[in-house]
Amino acid sequence: MEISNDSAAKKPKRLTSVVWNHFERVRKADICYAVCIHCNKKLSGSSNSGTTHLRNHLMRCLKRSSTIDVSQLLAAKRRKKDTTVSLANISFDEVQRKDDYIKPTILKFDQDQKKEEIVNLGSSKFDQERSRFDLARMIILHGYPLAIVDHVGFKVFVKNLQPLFEVVPNNAVEEACTEIYEKEKLKVYETISKLHGRINLCVEMWCSPENVEYLCLTAHYIDEDWKLQKKILNFVTLESSHTEDMLSEVINKCLMDWNVDCKLFALTFDDCSTDDDIVLRIKEQISHKRPILSNGQLFDVRSAAHVLNLIVEDAMEALREVTQKIRGSIKYVKSSQVTQGKFNEVAEQVGISSKKNLLLDCPFRYYSTYIMLETALEYRGAFSLLPEHDPAYASALTDTEWEWASSVTSYLKLFVEIINVFSSNKCPTANMYFPEICDVHIQLIEWCKSPDNFLSSMALKMKAKFDKYWSKCSLALAVAAILDPRFKMKLVEYYYSQIYGSTALDRIKEVSDGIKELFNAYSICSTMVDQGSALPGSSLPSTSNDTRDRLRGFDKFLHETSQSQNANSDLDKYLEEPVFPRNCDFNILNWWKVHTPRYPILSMMARDVLGTPMSSVGPELAFRTGGRMLDSCRSSLNADTLQALICTQDWLRMESSDFNPSSSLSVMPLAIEPS
């Protein structure tokens, strides 16, 4: 059909034929053209011309790709599918064959044309199976419910988007998710098995609204390129008959399933009150394959953020009555415009110039309570004078109560700042925790000396919980700080002199002996590797029952007696050199990557120590009271499917460079607010 130059194009109608997947409709002046995306031939694009001539051209077009099945288009037309688009060639499967798709063709017209006339067009041979797995990956990655495939709106959207796709039932999607999980699990298993360093395991407990408990195990490690990595290994649904004594058995089974029981450096528990017997049983199981370092002092780690949350809960509980009065005062002031206006007048009279608005808190988020208290304190003078102007105001605080609120708010400010440091750091290596925790320790010592019985008794209760944490984790915190070239032993000496006073030298020596003992273990391992006595890829010696193990004592003797003959060790050289200048752009992992040739043994130790997770609270859980809780959608799934979805989501998110958790509606679609 030839194009008539004087035919005016009417208002374009909606393009309903699937044949438009292969033509671009372009308007010039008052004429519409249909431009073939394969040969660029112009045909009539007027709505009055129909599409028969376009289909005929497509059949005859010599440049049309052989992968385009026109019979599919005509079949779709016969099924009366009224909306089509060209398929984007996006596949989650990196190994998709090149001949399964065609690179999109970019059509460009005159530069003065409108933006909508410059488009990317692509065509693809439809693949039902690939699309099924793409759908499953989408559901996994974004935490959508499996039942989304049964939603009417979803079915309509998909059918209009691609008429050839057959929406699969719920159980088929579940099977696809499980297949993806098994495939991705094999990748993770191979990655971990090839690590030359060791891994650290974070142990977290979850629950559901139905009071079902779950165990989440996350591996943390520094890879060969000195990048901090973490991967969820297991999300285990615990049976209702499960007891705390059985927790060690579950953890040990998971370790053996992943074959990491002999590669484990440290365990971090999210609950500081975890029974020590659980840790002891895990140690005993692991020690059958390798010795525990430093008598296990570096093996058992508790979450720093968790102990701070426990301390905050003590402070909030002690101030509960005062907080309720402040909350009631704010409610009263905001109860009407009249009372708000009267309060503003009183604030002006006493010279309060604050522009902050009074806000009520969310009791489950202590950050919001801190903000409420901090703002209320700025209006303290107005609240104190308000009873004289408004006799109906009955929530007035005494001067002593205001002083308590002021002191506790200053305590909360410290914890808020530190939790922000923990939760906002994108690369939370273990070295960053020591100075923050030491500051808390020093402040607690000072708060316990308060002449006010209310404040001192509260501080003593807080310090009792902190001391239990400090006794377990102080050595691990200090060793990590020493391996920061900006600090070394100097930071330990600085803080311990303030914390321990006259006994500081003894405590500093304990830390010095601890890091030397750890370094010696790595040095012995290095000697055994050189002599072929250690397993390939293992940082520490194995304890298999072969003849070589009978000479383990000789290896240690050889190492110790040879030290005096050799030059200074890695550790000695490192500690004797000046500290590295502190600056905001310092990257400790890059520093160790560069200095690995200079400190071959110490860098091996630093890789394992710095990868230890000293805290288990992420940004989505910071400043919350209560534990982690699944949403109702996830908790209704069976145990195997739940583990597959949660683990695979974590793995796919780490692989997808385009995925931005902060922009997702469900950063961690597990957690819900505690009720």
Side-chain angles (χ1 to χ4, degrees):
M1 180 179 292
E2 296 182 356
I3 300 172
S4 175
N5 292 330
D6 58 354
S7 61
K10 298 180 181 180
K11 184 177 180 180
K13 296 181 180 179
R14 184 183 177 203
L15 304 181
T16 59
S17 173
V18 294
V19 79
W20 284 105
N21 284 343
H22 300 273
F23 292 87
E24 172 61 17
R25 194 173 196 179
V26 179
R27 177 185 295 275
K28 277 193 174 182
D30 295 330
I31 302 176
C32 281
Y33 301 101
V35 181
C36 177
I37 67 173
H38 306 292
C39 65
N40 290 336
K41 183 173 182 179
K42 293 182 180 179
L43 302 171
S44 174
S46 171
S47 59
N48 296 328
S49 302
T51 58
T52 301
H53 66 296
L54 301 181
R55 285 201 300 275
N56 292 337
H57 168 77
L58 192 61
M59 295 284 192
R60 297 189 300 268
C61 182
L62 297 178
K63 292 186 178 182
R64 178 179 60 81
S65 171
S66 60
T67 62
I68 299 172
D69 190 348
V70 179
S71 63
Q72 288 184 349
L73 300 176
L74 298 179
K77 176 71 176 177
R78 286 193 296 270
R79 293 190 198 113
K80 299 181 180 180
K81 304 301 182 183
D82 58 356
T83 304
T84 61
V85 297
S86 54
L87 292 175
N89 295 300
I90 299 174
S91 173
F92 288 91
D93 193 348
E94 296 290 340
V95 299
Q96 182 70 30
R97 292 188 311 232
K98 292 183 179 180
D99 58 355
D100 280 349
Y101 65 91
I102 303 171
K103 187 176 182 180
T105 303
I106 301 178
L107 299 180
K108 293 188 177 181
F109 300 94
D110 297 338
Q111 293 183 356
D112 59 347
Q113 289 180 338
K114 296 180 180 179
K115 290 183 178 180
E116 59 266 22
E117 293 180 357
I118 302 176
V119 291
N120 283 337
L121 296 175
S123 57
S124 172
K125 184 177 181 180
F126 175 69
D127 187 332
Q128 169 73 21
E129 188 69 3
R130 188 186 72 177
S131 297
R132 181 171 73 93
F133 280 102
D134 286 349
L135 172 61
R137 284 186 174 88
M138 179 193 74
I139 289 173
I140 293 171
L141 185 62
H142 297 285
Y144 299 142
L146 294 176
I148 191 175
V149 296
D150 297 326
H151 297 174
V152 174
F154 177 79
K155 290 181 178 180
V156 171
F157 169 74
V158 171
K159 281 299 180 182
N160 287 337
L161 189 67
Q162 174 48 265
L164 300 179
F165 179 68
E166 296 295 332
V167 178
V168 294
N170 195 325
N171 60 341
V173 174
E174 187 173 346
E175 290 175 3
C177 291
T178 302
E179 288 183 49
I180 295 170
Y181 165 70
E182 295 296 340
K183 180 179 178 181
E184 296 298 324
K185 182 180 180 180
L186 182 59
K187 293 181 185 178
V188 175
Y189 185 91
E190 291 175 351
T191 298
I192 292 178
S193 64
K194 292 177 182 177
L195 284 176
H196 291 292
R198 307 183 78 77
I199 71 163
N200 301 277
L201 201 67
C202 189
V203 182
E204 301 169 285
M205 297 301 297
W206 288 75
C207 65
S208 73
E210 297 79 23
N211 293 322
V212 178
E213 290 188 316
Y214 307 89
L215 175 70
C216 181
L217 300 180
T218 307
H220 295 247
Y221 60 90
I222 295 174
D223 64 18
E224 303 308 312
D225 197 36
W226 285 90
K227 302 294 184 184
L228 184 62
Q229 306 286 354
K230 70 172 185 175
K231 295 183 184 297
I232 296 178
L233 300 184
N234 293 94
F235 198 89
V236 183
T237 303
L238 301 177
E239 300 293 338
S240 57
S241 59
H242 170 84
T243 62
E244 195 173 58
D245 294 340
M246 298 168 61
L247 189 61
S248 59
E249 298 177 14
V250 177
I251 295 174
N252 278 325
K253 183 181 183 305
C254 293
L255 293 176
M256 289 187 289
D257 288 345
W258 284 94
N259 196 27
V260 295
D261 48 335
C262 59
K263 295 174 70 74
L264 194 61
F265 180 79
L267 272 176
T268 300
F269 290 86
D270 67 337
D271 191 343
C272 292
S273 60
T274 299
D275 192 346
D276 292 343
D277 290 339
I278 294 174
V279 182
L280 182 61
R281 284 191 288 271
I282 297 173
K283 283 183 184 178
E284 290 175 349
Q285 180 69 27
I286 291 176
S287 63
H288 292 313
K289 293 194 175 183
R290 70 160 179 86
I292 300 294
L293 298 175
S294 301
N295 297 319
Q297 295 180 75
L298 301 180
F299 181 80
D300 183 7
V301 179
R302 306 300 167 97
S303 172
H306 183 259
V307 73
L308 295 186
N309 276 335
L310 291 178
I311 291 173
V312 167
E313 287 179 16
D314 285 341
M316 300 299 293
E317 177 59 27
L319 197 68
R320 182 169 53 85
E321 293 183 4
V322 175
T323 303
Q324 287 177 349
K325 281 189 174 183
I326 292 176
R327 196 177 289 126
S329 297
I330 295 174
K331 285 181 180 179
Y332 178 78
V333 169
K334 298 175 72 69
S335 62
S336 69
Q337 292 183 351
V338 174
T339 54
Q340 180 71 64
K342 192 176 297 184
F343 180 80
N344 292 340
E345 291 176 3
V346 174
E348 289 181 7
Q349 290 180 19
V350 297
I352 297 174
S353 58
S354 176
K355 301 299 182 182
K356 293 182 180 179
N357 293 322
L358 293 172
L359 299 172
L360 288 171
D361 66 331
C362 172
F364 300 114
R365 291 177 178 265
Y366 70 78
Y367 178 75
S368 67
T369 303
Y370 160 71
I371 295 297
M372 181 186 74
L373 294 174
E374 186 181 53
T375 306
L377 283 166
E378 295 189 19
Y379 289 94
R380 173 180 173 177
F383 279 117
S384 298
L385 197 62
L386 187 59
E388 298 179 11
H389 295 76
D390 188 350
Y393 172 57
S395 300
L397 282 72
T398 65
D399 289 341
T400 301
E401 289 173 330
W402 278 114
E403 290 299 323
W404 290 346
S406 178
S407 297
V408 173
T409 301
S410 68
Y411 300 172
L412 292 177
K413 182 178 182 180
L414 172 65
F415 297 129
V416 165
E417 291 173 350
I418 293 176
I419 291 290
N420 269 328
V421 171
F422 291 170
S423 62
S424 63
N425 196 303
K426 294 181 180 179
C427 185
T429 47
N431 59 300
M432 61 176 275
Y433 292 88
F434 181 74
E436 306 294 340
I437 296 300
C438 284
D439 277 342
V440 172
H441 199 167
I442 292 169
Q443 289 300 320
L444 285 171
I445 292 172
E446 292 301 315
W447 297 342
C448 289
K449 298 176 183 177
S450 173
D452 188 303
N453 289 334
F454 170 81
L455 296 175
S456 61
S457 61
M458 178 188 68
L460 286 169
K461 187 177 180 182
M462 295 159 68
K463 191 172 183 300
K465 291 183 178 178
F466 178 87
D467 287 344
K468 185 177 179 181
Y469 164 81
W470 180 257
S471 66
K472 285 185 177 295
C473 302
S474 58
L475 180 60
L477 292 166
V479 168
I482 293 170
L483 291 172
D484 188 326
R486 300 169 298 172
F487 302 141
K488 302 187 178 181
M489 283 297 299
K490 293 297 183 182
L491 191 68
V492 176
E493 295 167 2
Y494 169 74
Y495 276 115
Y496 275 29
S497 62
Q498 300 178 64
I499 293 171
Y500 293 112
S502 59
T503 62
L505 290 179
D506 294 335
R507 299 290 187 169
I508 293 170
K509 186 177 184 304
E510 290 176 4
V511 174
S512 179
D513 291 344
I515 193 170
K516 288 178 181 177
E517 180 184 349
L518 181 63
F519 177 78
N520 287 339
Y522 278 84
S523 299
I524 295 170
C525 171
S526 177
T527 303
M528 295 175 67
V529 170
D530 293 339
Q531 298 174 357
S533 302
L535 296 175
S538 175
S539 305
L540 293 172
S542 67
T543 58
S544 56
N545 294 321
D546 58 19
T547 306
R548 292 171 298 177
D549 284 335
R550 300 194 189 106
L551 297 178
R552 182 182 304 281
F554 171 73
D555 292 324
K556 184 176 181 181
F557 169 79
L558 182 64
H559 170 74
E560 292 174 347
T561 56
S562 301
Q563 276 204 325
S564 60
Q565 303 170 10
N566 298 334
N568 287 347
S569 68
D570 283 6
L571 181 61
D572 293 332
K573 286 191 297 184
Y574 171 79
L575 293 177
E576 288 170 3
E577 292 171 352
V579 296
F580 192 80
R582 288 198 305 120
N583 61 75
C584 59
D585 297 326
F586 179 74
N587 185 315
I588 189 170
L589 296 184
N590 283 346
W591 191 94
W592 277 106
K593 181 180 180 180
V594 171
H595 289 81
T596 293
R598 181 171 176 78
Y599 309 110
I601 300 175
L602 190 62
S603 63
M604 183 168 58
M605 186 177 92
R607 186 196 301 272
D608 297 340
V609 171
L610 295 175
T612 305
M614 294 294 180
S615 178
S616 61
V617 174
E620 72 280 358
L621 295 171
F623 310 116
R624 290 187 185 180
T625 59
R628 298 167 177 81
M629 187 172 290
L630 282 182
D631 59 30
S632 300
C633 178
R634 291 296 182 95
S635 62
S636 64
L637 300 171
N638 69 63
D640 292 337
T641 303
L642 177 62
Q643 176 167 253
L645 290 176
I646 290 176
C647 292
T648 313
Q649 181 192 51
D650 178 71
W651 303 335
L652 293 181
R653 281 207 318 233
M654 294 301 104
E655 291 180 0
S656 177
S657 58
D658 296 331
F659 186 79
N660 180 12
S662 63
S663 65
S664 172
L665 292 177
S666 184
V667 176
M668 176 63 78
L670 314 174
I672 62 174
E673 289 285 352
S675 57

